[in-house]
Structures are given as structure tokens and as C-alpha cells.
């Protein structure tokens, strides 16, 4: 039962981009980290429930593309229109004259490489889409990685080491500890291990989950002790894992509810459209008292999110059901919801 959590996380991301923080710490980073945990959990559930049907990745990739890309492309057009209305003065569209950047923005997958190639950030009508690129990279690897416990746990350990090296300052922490897959694949895989631990389907995953959570807690406390929390985004990434993993574990045990599913429907659109509101309405809203401006801002974001859900998510839901029915037919099993 993750819908309410997803909506809260999306709201945290939206608020962080208008300057809301918690004692100077970024609200959006731990929210993204928990999104990665949820992604790993959901993908493991999909691949575990229908291992034979998804063992050929084609249907899995198609279902994931239908889930993410139609709302993204509508939000991309909306964002471009919003930035154009605002005069194309934002650094997020300053590279609009470069065709290669349009291609990268439409492909989505390379956008998180802006951490090492900042030019990619100069044309992103949906600026948070770098994390969608990261997620798509995980999807490309998931059928192969999650098919073998040894591969999954090996990748978890190796990428935890890369991420820890970055959090300790031996690599740039923003790039290798947060934005690039070699430094945060382990967060996705922790979510996958959590699924298997709760299903009691893999004892190795359950033991690895406990061990990695404990060493991450120790690393979080150690980075605080040595003064690393002021570096981007050390406290937020590690804290997101330490606090987020137990929260996901608790919510995963609860039954699904229709109202919670509805909140899940709004969460992804909120994530996609909030920069369109920032580009067009925030210059006026920030003149209001802080709390009032934030409330009006979130209300406008929700209205746009509701619209995006109606025009770009609901219409493609039948395609997703069709893809799930096809892979279920391969196994002779009923389709999952």
C-alpha cells in the first residue's frame, strides 16, 4: 500500500524545488531515494510473480515504457510551453538550439549523466526527469540482475561500495553517491531484497537486507561524526535509506485500498508537472506569505497532475493491462492488477 507514500514523496520533491528544506537539508533527495527503493520492490514483485512470462524482457520493457513514457511526453510538452511562456530564460532550457539535447531529453535514459556532462541539464523541459533516466537504466538491467541471487547480491555489494566511497568524499558525492547508477544501484536492489524477504522466498536476501541496512546506518552516523553531512547530498541519501526502508517494509504488509491506489495515480503526475507551475506561477506566488504560497502552489500542481492523469495515464492503463494479460497467458496464470 504505497500510494499515499508516493504522493507525499512527490509533494516533498515539488516543495524542495521552491526552496522548502528541513534545517537546510534537501527534502527532495530522500524522497527520490525512497522512490528508488519502491521501484526495486515493485520490479522484484513483477519479475517474481511472472518469472516465465518476463524471462524474455520484451513484454517487461514494453509495460514499463507504457507506464512511464506517455505521461512524461505530455508533461514534456507542457513544460516546454511553460518555459516558453516565461520567456525561455530558465537555465533548464538555455540549450534549446542544440538538437542533440532535444534527442537526449526525449530519450530520457541519458539525462542523469548531467552529473558528469552538465550540458544535458541545459535542455530539460521536465527537470527532475534525470531520475527517470536512472530508473530506466535499472529496468534495462533488472530482468538479468534479478534472475540470479548471486548477481543481485554481488551488484548490491559492489555498488554499495561505490556509493559509500562517494559519501566518504573519495568520489564526488552528488554524482557517484546520488545520480549515477554505479553508485546507487544498491538502493534499487535493497528494495528488491525487501520484497524477497517479506515473501520468505530468499533467505540470502533477508540476511543481506539486514546487514546492508546496519552498515548504512553506521555509515550515516560516521559521516555525521566526521562532518560530511554538509556535502551534497550525503545526509539525505543515507538518511533516506535508513529511514525509508523500514517505512516501505511496514507499508508493504498492509492490504491495497482503492483510495491509496488513487493517490498513487496522482503521485507521478505531481512529480512531472510541478516545474511547469514553478516556471509560470511561482514568481507571483513567492510574493505571498510562505505558507500561503506553498499551499496555492501545491494546489495548482495537483490540478495539473489531475489533468495529466486524465489525459495521459488513464488512457494507457488498458495497454498495461493488455501487456500483463499477454504475459499471464504465457504462464496460464491470471493477470495481476
Amino acid at each position: 500500500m504505497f500510494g499515499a507514500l508516493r504522493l507525499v514523496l512527490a509533494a516533498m520533491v515539488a516543495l524542495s524545488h521552491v526552496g522548502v528544506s528541513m534545517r537546510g537539508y534537501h527534502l527532495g533527495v530522500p524522497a527520490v531515494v525512497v522512490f528508488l527503493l519502491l521501484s526495486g520492490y515493485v520490479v522484484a514483485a513483477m519479475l517474481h510473480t511472472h518469472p516465465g512470462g518476463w524471462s524474455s524482457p520484451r513484454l517487461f520493457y514494453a509495460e514499463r515504457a507504457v507506464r512511464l513514457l506517455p505521461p512524461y511526453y505530455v508533461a514534456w510538452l507542457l513544460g516546454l510551453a511553460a518555459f516558453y511562456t516565461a520567456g525561455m530564460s530558465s537555465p533548464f532550457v538555455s540549450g534549446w538550439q542544440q538538437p542533440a539535447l532535444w534527442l537526449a531529453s526525449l530519450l530520457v535514459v541519458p539525462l542523469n549523466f548531467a552529473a558528469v556532462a552538465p550540458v544535458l541539464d541545459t535542455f530539460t523541459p521536465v527537470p527532475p526527469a534525470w531520475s527517470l533516466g536512472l530508473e530506466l537504466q535499472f529496468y534495462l538491467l533488472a530482468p538479468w540482475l534479478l534472475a540470479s541471487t548471486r548477481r543481485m547480491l554481488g551488484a548490491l555489494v559492489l555498488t554499495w561500495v561505490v556509493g559509500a566511497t562517494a559519501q566518504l568524499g573519495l568520489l564526488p558525492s552528488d554524482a557517484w553517491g546520488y545520480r549515477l547508477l554505479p553508485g546507487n544501484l544498491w538502493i534499487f536492489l535493497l528494495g528488491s531484497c525487501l520484497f524477497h524477504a517479506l515473501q520468505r522466498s530468499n533467505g540470502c536476501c533477508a540476511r543481506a537486507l539486514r546487514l546492508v541496512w546496519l552498515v548504512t546506518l553506521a555509515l550515516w552516523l560516521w559521516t555525521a561524526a566526521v562532518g560530511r553531512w554538509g556535502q551534497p547530498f550525503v545526509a539525505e541519501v543515507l538518511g533516506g535509506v535508513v529511514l525509508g526502508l523500514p517505512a516501505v517494509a511496514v507499508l508493504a504488509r498492509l492490504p491495497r485500498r482503492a483510495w491509496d491506489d488513487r493517490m498513487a495515480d496522482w503521485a507521478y503526475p505531481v512529480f512531472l508537472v510541478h516545474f511547469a507551475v514553478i516556471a509560470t506561477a511561482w514568481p507571483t506566488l513567492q510574493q505571498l506569505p510562505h505558507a500561503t504560497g506553498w499551499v496555492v502552489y501545491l494546489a495548482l500542481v495537483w490540478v495539473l497532475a489531475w489533468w495529466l492523469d486524465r489525459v495521459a495515464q488513464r488512457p494507457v492503463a488498458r495497454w498495461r493491462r493488455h501487456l500483463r494479460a499477454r504475459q499471464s497467458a504465457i504462464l496460464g496464470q491470471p493477470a495481476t492488477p
Side-chain angles (χ1 to χ4, degrees), residues 239-264:
V241 172
V242 169
L243 302 177
L245 189 63
V248 174
V250 169
L251 292 173
R253 292 180 168 92
L254 300 178
R256 289 181 65 172
R257 304 290 186 191
W259 61 265
D260 191 67
D261 289 344
R262 196 73 193 97
M263 289 189 173

Side-chain angles (χ1 to χ4, degrees), residues 26-43:
H26 201 292
L27 280 180
V29 174
V32 169
V33 167
V34 179
F35 274 130
L36 304 188
L37 290 169
L38 289 170
S39 181
Y41 183 97
V42 169
V43 168

Side-chain angles (χ1 to χ4, degrees), residues 7 41 63-64 118 122 125 144 161 178 191 219 231 236 247 272 277 286 300 319-320 323:
L7 188 56
Y41 183 97
E63 195 277 344
R64 292 289 82 192
T122 63
W144 177 75
V161 170
Y178 178 46
L219 180 62
Q231 300 301 311
E236 294 93 331
L272 290 174
V277 176
Q286 65 182 340
L300 292 174
W319 297 358
R320 295 180 66 201
L323 289 167

Side-chain angles (χ1 to χ4, degrees), residues 43 47 60-61 135-147 151 181 185:
V43 168
L47 295 173
F60 170 75
Y61 293 151
E135 193 160 351
L136 289 171
Q137 292 163 22
F138 170 62
Y139 292 161
L140 290 171
L141 294 175
W144 177 75
L145 274 179
L146 301 188
R151 281 198 294 266
L181 196 65
L185 177 60

Side-chain angles (χ1 to χ4, degrees), residues 92 121 194 206 221 246 248 277 306 308 310-312 323-324 331:
F92 291 117
D121 256 348
L194 175 62
L221 297 175
V248 174
V277 176
W306 175 87
L308 184 62
R310 299 282 295 189
V311 302
L323 289 167
R324 288 173 180 259
L331 299 175

